[in-house]
Amino acid sequence: MTAVETQITYSNSYTIQHEEAYMIQEDDWDRDLLLDPAWEKQQRKTFTAWCNSHLRKAGTQIENIEEDFRNGLKLMLLLEVISGERLPKPDKGKMRFHKIANVNKALDFICSKGVKLVSIGAEEIVDGNVKMTLGMIWTIILRFAIQDISVEETSAKEGLLLWCQRKTAPYRNVNVQNFHISWKDGLALCALIHRHRPDLIDYSKLRKDDPIGNLNTAFEVAEKFLDIPKMLDAEDIVNTPKPDEKAIMTYVSCFYHAFAGAEQAETAANRICKVLAVNQENEKLMEEYEKLASELLEWIRRTIPWLENRVSEQTMRAMQQKLEDFRDYRRVHKPPRVQEKCQLEINFNTLQTKLRLSNRPAFMPSEGKMVSDIANAWKGLEQVEKGYEEWLLTEIRRLERVDHLAEKFKQKCSMHEAWTAGKEDLLSQKDYETASLMEIRALMRKHEAFESDLAAHQDRVEQIAAIAQELNELDYHDAASVNARCQGICDQWDNLGTLTQKRRDALERVEKLWETIDQLYLEFAKRAAPFNNWMDGAMEDLQDMFIVHSIEEIQSLITAHDQFKATLPEADKERVATLGIHNEILKIAQTYGIKLSGINPYTTITSQDITTKWDTVKHLVPLRDQMLQEEVARQQANERLRRQFAAQANIIGPWIQTKMEEISHVSVDISGSLEEQMNSLKQYEQNIINYKSNIDKLEGDHQLSQESLIFDNKHTNYSMEHIRVGWEQLLTTIARTINEVENQILTRDAKGISQEQLNEFRASFNHFDRKRNGMMDPDDFRACLISMGYDLGEVEFARIMTLVDANNTGVVTFQAFIDFMTRETAETDTAEQVMASFRILASDKNYITVDELRRELPPEQAEYCISRMTRYIGADGPSGALDYISFSSALYGESDL
């Protein structure tokens, strides 16, 4: 016995739990079961093999189960091996009472473990009673091999059966309902092996009609690879109508214990995979946020310089192309970025919610990529964008005015240059030196008429100078040529003034030498010159280009034109009077036989000139009427565009505001469930999407207005910019509100909040949401907490604010409020739980190896851990060992535990 004792090295301790719940010993052992010889044969073989599987650990075995336990020595040794405890020292004598004493020591030990022995005494064992010996061994198997099996709060037989059902559920032709006939075809045993060691059996090649082959395959594989001895005979099981339940249970329990370690490792691996999957998903969301934020900020960075470029084009066409490019930007390029910005905020909120629900630290984006940073950049973009559009419209108006002035400048310059052509040469002549007295007088009067004409043209020169100055002020691109031409006209005008004065002085010196010349010529010249100048001005006015922006402005021009037409009768009288002077000259000449040269010495204006110009004026009047009426028609068309745009804008603007208010009402409504709110919001979202065609139609009308150079509209307070901003806010609001409800559902389901609790939270939040904008300021939040029973000091309230307002925005959202109110009830993984799971995979070591990670975890999760775990620095670890303790802590943002 001493040699045997030295081989027992087990030190495992065993704590009995739930002793009262231990399986009740069967009272009918010898009444039914052993009456069947087939069952007795199966039990004898199975129990013998089971005992030997433990006795061989002590270097011995039994051959005959009823004979080899009679002296009690191997029975005591068996109990020591399977319990890991020492029994009292056996009696060494060979007498019957020595054997009975040893058997009693074994039976007393069994009873000390909470087992009630029924009808089993030491004398029957010593006498070799087969059925009592088998009953005792079954009792030992129940106590030490089956009792501790527990699955979902069931134990012993029920637990072992449930374990078998769970493991074989996926396999065809397997339906484990008991521990007898469910195992006859051998498929259940093969399924158990394949489930845990698929490398040992090709289950797809097994046939239900080959039970003996299946059973022998299972027995051989279990004995060779799983160290489970062959305890049954395939032929006995197949040929027995109902195999012995105890034999089957004994054999199957060996599989449970063989795979128990794998089960524990599988559970630990599943927990780790779950945690790593959450972490990988969160990291993917973080990477997507960083990528999307970078792209959006880069787009804003590239776009702002384009919008800040205020270099004006030189032509109206080029500036209108800039306006068209800006329209493309607003209609094509910006809307997807609006959606990206909204999606970015939604992704950020969803990520923060997932991190809170999985007990991870809050996500802090890279510097400059916070939601607030993006919002500020977006705000800056919109400010520059608004300024750019205003600048474009101002520049288009300026270029319109510039083009008009430039054309007007050219027209007036051409008329003035045509009038001054040859005047310098004329003033430089010295014809008076050889002229007769009459000719001198004529030259004097002619010069006076010229001075009158010169003075009449002073206004035109001043107009030319004024137009040139305005073109310079409006930054006309060809201002240099305008200035040069204007300067030439001014210099020439000054020279004409000088020459005029010199000629007058010369004529006055000889004026006393000349007689009075024909007053009629002089009177004709004096009356013809201003009338001619009036006709020139009339023709100029009738041909004058104009630019108007409203019906009122064109009506003003029509009124002025009507006033001009009212002066035509008086002008006609002047024409008749002036032509009457000429006719009188002809009459006198004819009467007195004077031969006229046909040239008025005082003016170059002839009666034919007056008649021709008068006919021209009468011809231009109806043309002017037509131009004004065409402009009236254009302005009326513009007015229709204004009213058409206003009619839609006055509907769309209030519609957007109403939808904003309705969405706000749905988001704070507590009468229905979150799913009902979600359905309502989804319906609003679809209605909004369907309404987009109205916005597009309004954009088309707005484009028509801009193409018609309409920049104001007194019929509506809604500009296209207002509609665009309101529409973008509506899209953002509905998307953000849907995301908030989704996060509330996610929070409710993750934390087990009832709809009634959520409604109570919503009612409290709504009561203290003074501004009804879905947010509470810190004072209202404090009042809300106090109303719900919180006793808050300054330090505690400051701590709570860091939880509900991590980004220091100065407000508390409903989602943050719910997270705070429910954070204590969350059932989440912890760093300690993950660490404990890794410790199981590492076999209780403080480190884990690469091979262990790759063996226990799926490839993706294994490589994830390997890439992130730091090297283990302890002296007890091999080269390449990894530190799973600090890795577990880092997953939850904690310091090393």
Side-chain angles (χ1 to χ4, degrees):
M1 186 64 184
T2 304
V4 173
E5 290 176 352
T6 59
Q7 297 182 47
I8 301 176
T9 59
Y10 307 102
S11 61
N12 298 333
S13 62
Y14 183 84
T15 302
I16 301 175
Q17 298 179 353
H18 310 296
E19 292 182 352
E20 298 300 329
Y22 173 62
M23 289 182 61
I24 300 174
Q25 178 70 23
E26 298 182 25
D27 296 331
D28 57 351
W29 175 270
D30 56 351
R31 295 188 182 92
D32 298 315
L33 300 183
L34 294 185
L35 296 179
D36 188 334
W39 285 5
E40 179 179 334
K41 177 182 177 183
Q42 290 177 3
Q43 290 182 8
R44 196 187 278 269
K45 178 177 179 63
T46 301
F47 291 177
T48 300
W50 185 85
C51 292
N52 284 336
S53 69
H54 293 286
L55 287 172
R56 67 186 179 187
K57 300 175 184 177
T60 186
Q61 64 179 12
I62 62 174
E63 298 294 337
N64 190 312
I65 196 167
E66 70 270 21
E67 291 295 330
D68 293 348
F69 285 139
R70 293 179 62 184
N71 61 4
L73 295 178
K74 288 189 177 181
L75 180 59
M76 294 178 68
L77 180 60
L78 175 65
L79 291 172
E80 288 187 342
V81 171
I82 63 178
S83 69
E85 301 180 22
R86 290 289 186 181
L87 271 66
K89 188 174 182 180
D91 293 358
K92 296 184 179 181
K94 297 183 179 181
M95 302 298 290
R96 177 178 172 77
F97 72 88
H98 292 123
K99 297 178 181 179
I100 291 174
N102 289 336
V103 173
N104 274 327
K105 291 177 181 179
L107 296 179
D108 290 342
F109 178 78
I110 295 173
C111 291
S112 71
K113 298 302 181 181
V115 179
K116 181 180 179 183
L117 297 174
V118 180
S119 304
I120 298 177
E123 291 78 2
E124 287 83 354
I125 304 302
V126 172
D127 292 339
N129 188 315
V130 176
K131 63 180 180 180
M132 291 301 176
T133 302
L134 291 176
M136 177 190 65
I137 297 303
W138 173 241
T139 300
I140 293 172
I141 292 172
L142 279 175
R143 171 62 184 81
F144 293 101
I146 299 177
Q147 176 182 328
D148 295 335
I149 297 175
S150 177
V151 178
E152 287 194 357
E153 300 183 359
T154 62
S155 60
K157 178 180 177 181
E158 290 79 3
L160 182 61
L161 182 63
L162 180 57
W163 179 79
C164 294
Q165 291 172 337
R166 289 267 180 91
K167 295 301 179 181
T168 60
Y171 292 87
R172 58 181 176 81
N173 298 326
V174 177
N175 184 17
V176 177
Q177 299 296 327
N178 49 55
F179 284 109
H180 36 80
I181 61 175
S182 294
W183 304 83
K184 288 188 66 174
D185 58 10
L187 290 177
L189 286 172
C190 291
L192 278 180
I193 296 173
H194 184 269
R195 180 62 182 271
H196 296 87
R197 291 289 303 276
D199 57 309
L200 300 181
I201 290 180
D202 187 353
Y203 188 84
S204 64
K205 294 183 178 179
L206 300 179
R207 305 195 320 273
K208 188 175 181 63
D209 59 358
D210 184 19
I212 292 180
N214 298 337
L215 288 166
N216 283 330
T217 297
F219 295 156
E220 292 169 3
V221 169
E223 186 170 39
K224 181 177 180 181
F225 297 102
L226 304 178
D227 199 25
I228 299 175
K230 184 177 181 182
M231 301 181 182
L232 303 168
D233 284 325
E235 292 78 4
D236 292 342
I237 294 176
V238 172
N239 296 328
T240 301
K242 182 180 179 182
D244 179 57
E245 186 177 54
K246 295 178 175 60
I248 298 294
M249 284 180 65
T250 301
Y251 187 58
V252 171
S253 69
C254 294
F255 285 89
Y256 175 85
H257 292 292
F259 295 132
E263 289 287 327
Q264 188 180 29
E266 181 182 352
T267 300
N270 288 339
R271 175 180 290 276
I272 291 173
C273 289
K274 176 182 176 183
V275 173
L276 294 180
V278 170
N279 223 54
Q280 287 174 306
E281 182 181 1
N282 291 340
E283 288 185 358
K284 182 179 179 181
L285 289 175
M286 294 176 190
E287 292 172 357
E288 290 177 353
Y289 175 89
E290 292 281 341
K291 179 176 180 293
L292 191 57
S294 298
E295 291 175 352
L296 183 57
L297 288 172
E298 175 61 21
W299 179 80
I300 293 174
R301 185 192 67 79
R302 295 195 312 268
T303 304
I304 285 179
W306 173 64
L307 295 174
E308 288 179 336
N309 181 12
R310 299 295 194 271
V311 178
S312 178
E313 299 294 338
Q314 295 181 352
T315 65
M316 186 76 165
R317 182 183 182 87
M319 285 304 296
Q320 287 177 332
Q321 182 60 47
K322 275 184 175 287
L323 182 61
E324 184 62 30
D325 293 341
F326 182 72
R327 289 199 198 101
D328 289 341
Y329 158 79
R330 293 299 302 267
R331 289 186 309 231
V332 179
H333 302 294
K334 186 183 178 185
R337 302 300 179 178
V338 174
Q339 295 296 324
E340 289 179 5
K341 176 177 175 291
C342 178
Q343 190 62 43
L344 193 67
E345 295 174 356
I346 291 173
N347 290 353
F348 182 85
N349 294 334
T350 300
L351 175 59
Q352 299 293 39
T353 299
K354 288 186 176 182
L355 290 173
R356 286 193 298 271
L357 293 177
S358 59
N359 203 23
R360 266 61 168 188
F363 169 56
M364 291 298 293
S366 302
E367 183 177 357
K369 296 179 184 177
M370 295 287 292
V371 172
S372 58
D373 296 325
I374 295 172
N376 290 335
W378 190 265
K379 182 178 180 181
L381 173 69
E382 291 185 330
Q383 290 175 344
V384 174
E385 177 182 301
K386 180 178 180 181
Y388 184 74
E389 184 174 29
E390 293 174 350
W391 173 78
L392 278 177
L393 298 178
T394 300
E395 281 301 298
I396 288 176
R397 293 191 186 99
R398 183 187 69 82
L399 285 176
E400 182 186 25
R401 175 68 176 165
V402 164
D403 290 346
H404 171 69
L405 289 175
E407 189 62 30
K408 194 170 185 177
F409 177 82
K410 293 176 183 177
Q411 186 183 55
K412 287 185 176 294
C413 287
S414 297
M415 292 180 67
H416 179 77
E417 288 166 348
W419 179 82
T420 59
K423 293 295 190 295
E424 291 175 299
D425 293 337
L426 181 63
L427 293 171
S428 300
Q429 290 179 1
K430 296 184 178 181
D431 49 346
Y432 53 84
E433 293 180 350
T434 59
S436 64
L437 182 62
M438 294 298 293
E439 290 172 346
I440 289 298
R441 284 291 184 181
L443 290 177
M444 186 62 187
R445 298 297 182 266
K446 183 178 181 179
H447 188 69
E448 289 176 353
F450 174 79
E451 287 181 327
S452 178
D453 202 8
L454 185 67
H457 282 79
Q458 177 68 33
D459 288 341
R460 183 179 292 124
V461 175
E462 292 175 354
Q463 290 175 4
I464 291 172
I467 293 173
Q469 181 178 355
E470 189 171 356
L471 285 171
N472 278 274
E473 292 172 351
L474 292 174
D475 196 21
Y476 179 50
H477 69 91
D478 198 16
S481 63
V482 169
N483 292 337
R485 191 171 185 180
C486 179
Q487 187 62 46
I489 289 173
C490 291
D491 291 344
Q492 184 190 40
W493 186 254
D494 292 338
N495 189 41
L496 283 175
T498 301
L499 292 175
T500 298
Q501 187 61 40
K502 286 181 178 180
R503 184 169 180 81
R504 166 170 279 279
D505 293 342
L507 290 174
E508 286 178 347
R509 284 195 303 268
V510 294
E511 182 179 8
K512 58 185 177 179
L513 303 176
W514 306 105
E515 297 180 349
T516 303
I517 40 187
D518 194 346
Q519 293 298 316
L520 290 176
Y521 271 124
L522 180 58
E523 184 178 354
F524 176 88
K526 288 183 177 181
R527 297 192 71 166
F531 183 68
N532 182 72
N533 190 59
W534 175 87
M535 288 192 295
D536 285 342
M539 288 189 293
E540 182 179 350
D541 290 340
L542 290 171
Q543 299 178 81
D544 187 27
M545 299 173 62
F546 56 84
I547 178 170
V548 294
H549 298 93
S550 67
I551 291 178
E552 291 76 11
E553 292 179 6
I554 188 61
Q555 194 61 48
S556 177
L557 291 179
I558 291 175
T559 300
H561 183 60
D562 290 340
Q563 292 173 350
F564 167 77
K565 289 192 293 183
T567 65
L568 289 178
E570 285 296 327
D572 190 45
K573 290 179 181 179
E574 180 67 17
R575 177 186 69 83
V576 172
T578 303
L579 291 179
I581 295 173
H582 177 70
N583 292 334
E584 188 175 353
I585 292 173
L586 294 178
K587 182 179 179 181
I588 293 173
Q590 184 178 3
T591 301
Y592 296 101
I594 298 174
K595 185 178 181 179
L596 300 175
S597 64
I599 298 174
N600 191 323
Y602 306 112
T603 181
T604 59
I605 300 172
T606 66
S607 60
Q608 184 60 44
D609 292 337
I610 293 175
T611 300
T612 300
K613 289 186 178 182
W614 178 254
D615 292 340
T616 301
V617 169
K618 289 196 298 181
H619 174 72
L620 290 175
V621 168
L623 292 180
R624 183 71 168 184
D625 286 332
Q626 181 180 352
M627 290 176 58
L628 292 173
Q629 291 305 316
E630 289 174 352
E631 183 62 26
V632 168
R634 190 176 77 87
Q635 290 302 323
Q636 289 174 341
N638 290 350
E639 184 66 11
R640 286 193 295 273
L641 287 176
R642 289 188 181 95
R643 293 183 181 276
Q644 180 176 333
F645 177 87
Q648 295 184 80
N650 289 336
I651 294 174
I652 294 174
W655 184 89
I656 292 174
Q657 181 63 32
T658 300
K659 292 303 174 185
M660 291 284 285
E661 294 172 356
E662 290 175 355
I663 292 169
S664 175
H665 178 71
V666 171
S667 66
V668 300
D669 186 14
I670 61 174
S671 60
S673 65
L674 289 176
E675 284 74 11
E676 291 172 340
Q677 291 185 33
M678 178 61 71
N679 291 336
S680 180
L681 289 171
K682 289 289 186 180
Q683 185 175 356
Y684 275 108
E685 183 180 39
Q686 188 58 48
N687 291 339
I688 291 170
I689 292 173
N690 294 339
Y691 201 74
K692 179 63 165 57
S693 61
N694 296 314
I695 304 296
D696 295 338
K697 185 176 183 304
L698 190 65
E699 283 283 5
D701 290 343
H702 177 65
Q703 181 173 346
L704 290 176
S705 297
Q706 288 197 332
E707 288 173 353
S708 299
L709 301 178
I710 301 173
F711 302 110
D712 58 343
N713 195 333
K714 65 181 180 181
H715 303 295
T716 180
N717 293 325
Y718 296 98
S719 68
M720 195 64 230
E721 177 63 22
H722 292 147
I723 298 298
R724 290 181 188 132
V725 172
W727 179 253
E728 292 171 1
Q729 289 177 347
L730 181 60
L731 292 177
T732 302
T733 298
I734 188 64
R736 185 184 296 113
T737 305
I738 289 174
N739 178 247
E740 289 176 355
V741 176
E742 288 174 341
N743 286 339
Q744 291 175 31
I745 293 174
L746 184 62
T747 302
R748 180 197 67 190
D749 295 343
K751 299 187 177 182
I753 307 172
S754 67
Q755 187 63 47
E756 290 74 14
Q757 288 176 304
L758 198 61
N759 287 345
E760 290 177 7
F761 290 152
R762 170 57 78 182
S764 298
F765 184 89
N766 290 345
H767 178 74
F768 288 95
D769 180 10
R770 315 288 187 188
K771 300 178 180 178
R772 296 294 184 266
N773 60 354
M775 293 177 286
M776 289 190 290
D777 60 30
D779 291 338
D780 290 336
F781 178 55
R782 179 195 289 270
C784 182
L785 292 181
I786 293 174
S787 72
M788 301 179 74
Y790 282 80
D791 184 12
L792 298 174
E794 291 298 330
V795 175
E796 175 62 13
F797 181 69
R799 183 190 70 81
I800 292 175
M801 283 302 297
T802 61
L803 297 176
V804 300
D805 186 17
N807 292 327
N808 197 25
T809 61
V811 293
V812 179
T813 64
F814 181 63
Q815 184 62 43
F817 176 70
I818 290 181
D819 290 340
F820 169 73
M821 296 303 297
T822 59
R823 72 187 191 283
E824 299 297 333
T825 61
E827 295 182 0
T828 57
D829 294 314
T830 64
E832 292 82 356
Q833 290 173 330
V834 176
M835 195 180 305
S837 299
F838 275 117
R839 186 174 291 279
I840 292 173
L841 300 185
S843 303
D844 284 333
K845 302 188 297 294
N846 290 329
Y847 59 84
I848 193 167
T849 66
V850 172
D851 291 339
E852 288 172 333
L853 287 171
R854 288 176 173 160
R855 182 176 68 246
E856 301 294 345
L857 298 178
E860 183 180 353
Q861 280 76 17
E863 297 306 320
Y864 178 81
C865 293
I866 293 170
S867 65
R868 285 164 171 75
M869 284 187 183
T870 58
R871 295 292 181 184
Y872 179 72
I873 59 175
D876 56 332
S879 174
L882 301 174
D883 184 357
Y884 66 81
I885 295 177
S886 61
F887 175 74
S888 301
S889 302
L891 284 177
Y892 293 87
E894 303 174 4
S895 58
D896 291 348
L897 300 175

